[in-house]
Amino acid sequence: MSAVSRWLAERIPVQPGQLRELTNEPVPNHLRRWWFCLGGTPAYLFVVQIVTGILLAFYYEASPEHAYESVRYITEEAAYGWFLRGIHKWAATLMIASMILHQMRVFFTGAYRKPRELNWMVGMCLLVTVLLTGFTGYSLVFEQLSYWGATVGANITDTVPFVGAHMKRLLLAGDAYNEHTLSRFFLLHAAVLPVTIGLLLFLHITLIRLQGVTEFHFEDEGPSEPKFFNFFPDHFLTELAIGLVLMVLLSVLATALPVTMGPKADPLTTPEIIKPEWFFYVAFRWLKLFSATVAVLSMGFILFVMFLWPFIDAWIRRRWPGSEFSVWVGTAGALTIIGLTVWEAAVAH
Amino acid sequence: MSLQFKKLLITVLAAAFLCSLLFVQYEEVTRRRAEAGLAEAPVAVPASSEQCVACHSDNTPGIVEQWKGSTHARSGIGCYECHEADRKDADSFDHYGKIIATVVTPMDCARCHTVEAGEFERSHHSKAGNILASLDNYLAEVVEGSRVPFQPHGPTPGFAVNEVNGLASAATGCQQCHGSKVALLSSDGGRITLDDLQPDENGQPTNLDALAKVVKDSQGKPRYHPATWPNTGIGRINLDGSRGSCSACHSRHDFSPRRARQPENCGKCHLGPDHPQKEIYEESKHGIAYRDLREHMNLEADTWILGEDYTQAPTCATCHMSGNVNNGGRITHDPGERISWTNRPPVSLRMDTDINHVVVKETDPAKRAKLVADTAEAKRARMQNVCAVCHTSDYIGSFYKQYDDFIVLYNEKFAKPGQELMKRLKGAGLISKPNFDEEIEWTWFYLWHHEGRRARHGASMMAPDYAQWHGMYEVAERFYLELIPQAREILEHAPEGKREEAAEISAWLEGLLARPEHQWIQSGEGAR
Amino acid sequence: MKSKEPPASRPDDAPPRRSFLGQTGGAAMALALATSYGTCGAYGLRFLYPARPPRRIWQFVAVADRLQPGESMPFRAPDGQRITVARQGEAGTVEDFIALGSTCPHLGCQVHWQPDRQRFFCPCHNGVFDPRGKGIGGPPGEAGQSLPRFPLKLEGGLLYIEVPAEGLLV
């Protein structure tokens, strides 16, 4: 052992064996199928978001007078600002997309079942927090669309019976969008929600480590194949490759479909067509289908059912053993979501 | 998949990532380059005007914003550079530690724009204030108004009127184009003008007694007489003795050359029944092309040289003031430099001007040649330089032939006889000295001042309808159906003791009408 | 997707040839990763670095005739810098004029003109500059430092100076 490593070992008392054990979690063989690596994608993109977000925050000013100008400065003047903002925006899109895919994979493979019910719930919390982060981030640009998106979002909160009005006041720091609203959104977006995501993510991964990844066996696999391979370096390299694919994808998207500046927010004129970010299309269309209160309450109910699904599913399976009910519910849900999103995307109003 | 293969895959992917980053770099460089080309020069508030901008951004944000868009702002010329005044100036005051004046005169602008101010000073524009003692002004001050304040006819509910200001029509009408005689408010309510102040060549008053009577507000700011300011009339007579107002065309506070290039700017004054240049222009081929193509006319251009920066259509400025490729891009601020006829007086005159830029009226050819410093032909040649950017010399020559013939026709058939008739009637005492107290005086005024000018201006700028129906047709009608019958009426009813003179004028008049150009009305040709 | 290789759980058992290849592959991979992510990181750092040196603009100083040879006038740039504009010739060209910043290159104190001694003087450490702004005494003289000079131009009899465009409006 060299002098340097001895010096280090004395000060950081970790045995190489321990380190190996920590990193070399045995990974089930099915993870050689890349389809099963979707869970790592949002985590990787989260890191991208933290890094680009911190960089953007160096120039962003969260006040109605300066917000738009500072975003314009980032986009048009600062070196590589357009690129970093583009990455931040596209990574958000990919993050949400991959989370949804990850969740669908978990759902259809039944990976949320005992003993992993709690982790499903943590995952649901992550989904909601990430969506909220997306919503607040979109508002920060202070364009017409993002401004009116925030206003509409806040007014949706208002329709929740009893507590809605208070939630709206809490969100907007007043009865309407005012000079304190933007800094509130900024702190939620850049501090409160990311820390929450970080904590939930830690919990999510800890639970995976404690319970182990769900094992699957596929029919085309021969019985002689080993059931596990090492996380390090094998699976680590897979994740590294996925990370690089994501980086290429992000920089291509940021260059080919660069972020733009819409017209500056004007509290006096509502644009002809207002649209939220694509991941809220479902909710937006839902709101147009029902009265505000019904739509909000039904969405809340659906989220609640999703949250408790592992227990509902368990109850159904106890009641009707061998039932494929969850697959049917999942298919119907996924088709509804896709249908509503496409509908909202296709029409102007 | 082997570890080895994964490593290779990662290497390839990392290379792809690097390639995409290089593409990002390429985009960044392209963008920077495009930006450097497009970037607007930044505007900074000059230190001299920092304080002004600090307060006036709140008090009068409009003018600060306008200034920010001006060429002045881009060159670091702030509020103080123009409003700067000397403590000795009649209207100067201490404004938070800086001596300034509200009214900026051509003398102030001349600190930098020397050449422009010089051209403007010798132009007819700067002398527009001379109207204050003219026939038109008599109309506004006496006929339309009253030179002495008078008692109201009856009460105005809800508004206290103690005395009627008879000069209101002149102040808001005539003087907003022609320019007021700027006055400070005197403690007795009267006006203190340059006549009282007697400014020296630096524009500073020499009569300090007059200065002592100026009313000042609580901050020591002298008050202007409200009948004379606000005013941006082009011939404004300023307290410092200078004539005119540059902001008449280069409106405050962006002083935009772009605006001065557009006919609408001239149309503030050059329109209406007596000099409808704006409407004439709009009717002409030139105006039609302008309306169609103004977006392509590069009105923002720095130099705006005809034939270089644009060719689509001429505006008023193009022909009368702006530079063109044939004259080396030389702009003039004396529109008279390119005009060969003056169509302002009853009888059009050739624009042969003397050294003081006044039209020479001498008839003796030899004496005339001595007096003339700049001939009408030289002026016409300057105008033809403009024409020649688009038209051939034959075309231009023939246009001027049409124009000259028209002016001569008007002069000889109606203007000179009419003028002679009026002169004879007045000379014989058959009409009284005061103007506009007899019908025939109105008739004659309409004939030359309204209809005659419409016709001549219409011919000069290619508006057929103004030359004929709004012009010569009405001149003829006025001449044959009003002027001549009214003259005959006066002559027939000449009082005892004037009969002889009347008979003499009658004989002259019948002789005139017997001339071939008028004979048709005698011979009954008109009845056909 | 499926690999027929045995799991690489014990790389120590691998034959030396593969180990060598593995090392080269690993090095190439590490290099490629470092280069690509490093470039990306450099972009981020460049983003944080001030966008560009402050732009410079031409500002009006005075009508040239108003400044007689031997006279000087103070000029304050939009960023607050004090500049002395002096006329030292009568050729009627821009070379007659000189614009010197009043910030001492030594430690940033304000210098002032001493007309009786025809020199700029910095009171902080007795720095002395000649009328052309060259250090001739005190620390700036020893270090061969000069007062900062600003470009001037003469256009239509008007004197303009090029100064940093700070305190921007637009």
Side-chain angles (χ1 to χ4, degrees):
Chain A
M1 200 188 270
S2 72
V4 176
S5 35
R6 202 177 314 119
W7 188 90
L8 265 179
E10 279 166 12
R11 276 147 191 89
I12 308 167
V14 180
Q15 298 304 313
Q18 288 176 312
L19 204 64
R20 184 165 298 182
E21 199 183 327
L22 203 67
T23 56
N24 269 7
E25 188 202 1
V27 179
N29 219 22
H30 72 270
L31 273 182
R32 289 197 183 280
R33 290 158 193 274
W34 294 59
W35 175 243
F36 286 87
C37 301
L38 273 170
T41 301
Y44 180 85
L45 289 170
F46 179 60
V47 176
V48 170
Q49 290 300 64
I50 296 281
V51 173
T52 51
I54 287 174
L55 287 172
L56 293 173
F58 272 91
Y59 288 113
Y60 181 74
E61 281 184 77
S63 74
E65 300 89 45
H66 302 299
Y68 185 82
E69 169 57 26
S70 65
V71 178
R72 192 204 59 76
Y73 178 84
I74 290 168
T75 319
E76 291 175 5
E77 289 190 38
Y80 302 107
W82 60 276
F83 177 60
L84 292 170
R85 196 183 146 214
I87 294 228
H88 198 69
K89 188 209 147 161
W90 282 109
T93 291
L94 292 186
M95 188 171 169
I96 288 166
S98 59
M99 277 181 81
I100 292 170
L101 291 176
H102 168 65
Q103 194 190 18
M104 280 167 71
R105 198 278 295 162
V106 168
F107 187 90
F108 287 114
T109 54
Y112 55 83
R113 285 171 189 152
K114 189 185 168 189
R116 296 185 175 82
E117 299 98 325
L118 284 180
N119 218 9
W120 167 270
M121 287 157 84
V122 172
M124 275 302 297
C125 292
L126 266 171
L127 179 71
V128 171
T129 323
V130 167
L131 287 176
L132 282 178
T133 316
F135 171 73
T136 47
Y138 183 55
S139 313
L140 294 183
V141 185
F142 211 63
E143 291 174 349
Q144 268 290 64
L145 282 181
S146 65
Y147 172 85
W148 287 100
T151 306
V152 170
N155 286 329
I156 290 169
T157 338
D158 198 15
T159 57
V160 177
F162 309 117
V163 291
H166 299 292
M167 278 164 64
K168 179 188 163 188
R169 281 180 65 86
L170 197 62
L171 187 65
L172 292 183
D175 286 322
Y177 207 103
N178 61 56
E179 70 267 30
H180 301 302
T181 312
L182 207 55
S183 57
R184 201 162 274 236
F185 277 30
F186 179 60
L187 266 175
L188 283 174
H189 178 78
V192 179
L193 294 172
V195 168
T196 313
I197 294 174
L199 292 174
L200 286 169
L201 204 56
F202 179 73
L203 200 60
H204 205 58
I205 293 171
T206 308
L207 283 171
I208 293 172
R209 290 299 312 273
L210 290 177
Q211 295 159 340
V213 179
T214 332
E215 292 155 35
F216 296 102
H217 191 77
F218 292 88
E219 284 157 12
D220 59 343
E221 277 172 1
S224 64
E225 281 186 87
K227 292 222 164 187
F228 295 95
F229 63 97
N230 274 344
F231 180 84
F232 193 86
D234 202 339
H235 189 66
F236 178 74
L237 290 182
T238 308
E239 293 287 350
L240 211 55
I242 292 174
L244 281 169
V245 169
L246 287 171
M247 288 314 284
V248 174
L249 192 60
L250 284 176
S251 46
V252 167
L253 282 171
T255 326
L257 300 166
V259 278
T260 49
M261 298 295 299
K264 189 181 173 177
D266 175 6
L268 301 178
T269 342
T270 312
E272 272 296 298
I273 299 168
I274 54 171
K275 293 265 174 179
E277 285 281 68
W278 64 272
F279 41 84
F280 283 119
Y281 277 8
V282 180
F284 209 57
R285 179 45 60 185
W286 195 259
L287 277 166
K288 289 178 189 169
L289 292 178
F290 307 101
S291 78
T293 313
V294 171
V296 170
L297 287 183
S298 57
M299 279 194 291
F301 179 72
I302 291 167
L303 275 178
F304 186 64
V305 167
M306 282 169 78
F307 189 69
L308 291 180
W309 184 253
F311 302 104
I312 297 169
D313 177 61
W315 181 78
I316 290 171
R317 279 152 56 92
R318 267 205 307 280
R319 186 84 175 69
W320 296 283
S323 149
E324 294 283 354
F325 189 68
S326 72
V327 175
W328 293 117
V329 168
T331 312
L335 287 177
T336 313
I337 289 172
I338 293 168
L340 290 176
T341 305
V342 171
W343 184 2
E344 180 60 36
V347 295
H349 290 286
Chain B
M1 189 187 290
S2 73
L3 278 182
Q4 205 55 41
F5 183 73
K6 270 192 189 170
K7 282 180 187 169
L8 186 67
L9 181 70
I10 288 169
T11 314
V12 171
L13 283 172
F17 180 31
L18 192 62
C19 284
S20 72
L21 286 177
L22 290 180
F23 187 60
V24 166
Q25 169 67 21
Y26 167 78
E27 287 278 296
E28 170 78 12
V29 171
T30 331
R31 222 174 49 93
R32 283 252 166 270
R33 257 192 221 131
E35 215 170 67
L38 292 173
E40 237 177 62
V43 167
V45 179
S48 59
S49 301
E50 235 167 45
Q51 271 179 289
C52 320
V53 171
C55 291
H56 281 275
S57 293
D58 291 334
N59 296 342
T60 52
I63 59 174
V64 176
E65 285 303 316
Q66 288 161 17
W67 168 79
K68 282 183 195 176
S70 72
T71 312
H72 274 170
R74 286 202 294 279
S75 318
I77 287 136
C79 320
Y80 184 65
E81 279 70 26
C82 301
H83 283 281
E84 177 186 6
D86 194 283
R87 205 176 279 277
K88 289 190 209 131
D89 293 347
D91 55 348
S92 71
F93 61 104
D94 185 325
H95 193 50
Y96 301 100
K98 291 222 157 124
I99 307 295
I100 61 160
T102 305
V103 179
V104 175
T105 72
M107 196 182 267
D108 298 315
C109 303
R111 284 203 289 262
C112 294
H113 301 282
T114 326
V115 176
E116 290 81 359
E119 289 163 353
F120 174 75
E121 193 184 358
R122 63 172 186 255
S123 74
H124 196 67
H125 266 159
S126 79
K127 296 169 190 105
N130 292 350
I131 191 201
L132 300 182
S134 76
L135 205 59
D136 293 18
N137 205 51
Y138 177 80
L139 264 177
E141 289 188 354
V142 177
V143 181
E144 298 164 24
S146 164
R147 280 192 178 144
V148 283
F150 60 95
Q151 291 305 303
H153 197 68
T156 306
F159 191 66
V161 181
N162 301 321
E163 196 178 68
V164 180
N165 175 7
L167 300 177
S169 177
T172 46
C174 315
Q175 291 169 17
Q176 291 302 337
C177 280
H178 287 269
S180 64
K181 195 175 215 172
V182 179
L184 292 164
L185 188 62
S186 165
S187 48
D188 59 14
R191 306 174 185 215
I192 302 169
T193 66
L194 84 165
D195 299 339
D196 308 295
L197 297 166
Q198 295 160 15
D200 61 15
E201 56 178 14
N202 294 321
Q204 287 161 358
T206 55
N207 178 3
L208 301 179
D209 296 342
L211 211 52
K213 286 192 287 184
V214 174
V215 177
K216 300 191 173 184
D217 73 4
S218 56
Q219 294 185 331
K221 177 180 167 184
R223 288 194 54 201
Y224 293 98
H225 194 286
T228 64
W229 173 262
N231 187 289
T232 54
I234 202 157
R236 198 177 62 205
I237 300 169
N238 301 299
L239 293 171
D240 58 10
S242 66
R243 296 296 179 100
S245 155
C246 301
S247 54
C249 303
H250 301 284
S251 308
R252 305 188 291 258
H253 271 98
D254 56 2
F255 318 103
S256 151
R258 179 189 63 248
R259 199 169 314 151
R261 287 164 183 163
Q262 299 179 41
E264 287 74 11
N265 198 51
C266 313
K268 180 200 165 195
C269 294
H270 290 274
L271 82 176
D274 59 335
H275 43 39
Q277 288 101 333
K278 170 86 179 345
E279 294 93 323
I280 285 166
Y281 169 77
E282 280 164 2
E283 197 206 330
S284 74
K285 284 288 191 194
H286 287 159
I288 294 164
Y290 165 76
R291 196 157 51 243
D292 182 24
L293 300 169
R294 60 180 297 169
E295 284 80 21
H296 309 285
M297 283 180 59
N298 219 350
L299 287 160
E300 296 273 358
D302 237 13
T303 47
W304 209 57
I305 293 170
L306 178 69
E308 199 171 285
D309 294 312
Y310 69 107
T311 49
Q312 288 76 5
T315 68
C316 312
T318 303
C319 299
H320 295 288
M321 305 184 86
S322 305
N324 58 70
V325 284
N326 292 335
N327 78 348
R330 206 185 81 77
I331 301 165
T332 176
H333 278 72
D334 174 8
E337 267 185 31
R338 301 177 188 171
I339 291 178
S340 42
W341 284 107
T342 168
N343 295 321
R344 191 185 53 82
V347 176
S348 291
L349 296 172
R350 291 294 279 171
M351 281 283 282
D352 289 326
T353 49
D354 63 15
I355 47 164
N356 298 316
H357 301 271
V358 177
V359 175
V360 176
K361 290 181 183 151
E362 177 59 53
T363 47
D364 177 69
K367 284 187 192 162
R368 189 178 171 86
K370 267 188 204 155
L371 284 171
V372 172
D374 187 37
T375 63
E377 280 313 311
K379 292 186 172 76
R380 179 166 291 187
R382 287 183 208 119
M383 181 63 91
Q384 289 178 339
N385 268 337
V386 186
C387 312
V389 174
C390 299
H391 303 291
T392 60
S393 57
D394 266 5
Y395 187 100
I396 301 165
S398 298
F399 160 75
Y400 269 104
K401 173 84 175 104
Q402 292 178 3
Y403 174 41
D404 288 343
D405 285 353
F406 187 96
I407 299 299
V408 171
L409 172 66
Y410 161 83
N411 268 0
E412 302 303 327
K413 187 165 183 190
F414 301 110
K416 285 183 181 174
Q419 197 175 40
E420 178 67 19
L421 174 65
M422 292 304 287
K423 197 176 130 198
R424 283 173 182 256
L425 288 174
K426 205 158 246 185
L430 287 163
I431 51 177
S432 64
K433 262 232 150 77
N435 284 310
F436 298 108
D437 63 337
E438 272 130 350
E439 194 185 9
I440 196 168
E441 286 172 326
W442 292 78
T443 303
W444 170 235
F445 187 70
Y446 272 119
L447 193 152
W448 72 267
H449 185 270
H450 286 41
E451 292 136 5
R453 280 191 190 165
R454 287 205 294 263
R456 290 174 281 165
H457 291 150
S460 71
M461 296 189 289
M462 294 135 302
D465 204 59
Y466 278 90
Q468 206 258 333
W469 290 119
H470 289 308
M472 283 300 255
Y473 167 78
E474 297 200 36
V475 169
E477 189 212 17
R478 190 77 68 186
F479 185 83
Y480 290 120
L481 298 186
E482 290 183 30
L483 191 75
I484 301 297
Q486 283 164 14
R488 282 181 171 146
E489 179 87 6
I490 291 168
L491 294 169
E492 274 166 32
H493 295 91
E496 227 34 78
K498 304 250 180 196
R499 291 264 161 83
E500 206 173 306
E501 291 94 330
E504 199 181 310
I505 297 171
S506 284
W508 170 83
L509 185 59
E510 295 319 314
L512 171 82
L513 294 172
R515 286 169 64 106
E517 69 269 25
H518 297 298
Q519 218 181 11
W520 66 277
I521 202 163
Q522 309 286 37
S523 65
E525 214 182 310
R528 278 212 302 265
Chain C
M1 289 287 163
K2 240 179 346 140
S3 165
K4 289 203 173 126
E5 294 273 335
S9 53
R10 297 180 65 201
D12 297 348
D13 294 348
R17 188 184 56 86
R18 243 198 84 193
S19 167
F20 174 74
L21 253 183
Q23 273 174 16
T24 329
M29 179 186 80
L31 185 71
L33 280 172
T35 321
S36 54
Y37 276 100
T39 311
C40 197
Y43 286 6
L45 211 62
R46 179 67 190 83
F47 171 72
L48 291 185
Y49 192 77
R52 64 185 80 135
R55 287 161 83 176
R56 301 176 78 83
I57 50 168
W58 287 99
Q59 289 239 303
F60 170 75
V61 183
V63 179
D65 293 347
R66 276 195 170 182
L67 208 59
Q68 293 305 313
E71 282 182 352
S72 70
M73 61 173 286
F75 179 81
R76 206 148 64 81
D79 65 353
Q81 273 194 83
R82 280 163 211 286
I83 298 165
T84 304
V85 181
R87 183 166 190 169
Q88 297 174 348
E90 34 194 328
T93 64
V94 72
E95 276 73 41
D96 290 1
F97 301 90
I98 186 166
L100 296 170
S102 336
T103 307
C104 180
H106 179 223
L107 289 171
C109 294
Q110 290 290 308
V111 303
H112 61 265
W113 175 246
Q114 294 180 324
D116 49 333
R117 305 178 72 169
Q118 287 291 304
R119 64 177 200 177
F120 291 98
F121 183 69
C122 178
C124 288
H125 300 93
N126 298 328
V128 180
F129 303 87
D130 75 359
R132 302 295 291 176
K134 195 168 157 283
I136 49 170
E142 284 156 27
Q145 290 166 315
S146 300
L147 291 173
R149 263 186 86 163
F150 292 85
L152 290 165
K153 71 173 176 186
L154 203 55
E155 256 182 30
L158 308 179
L159 192 63
Y160 293 88
I161 187 172
E162 197 181 34
V163 288
E166 292 287 325
L168 292 189
L169 284 176
V170 192

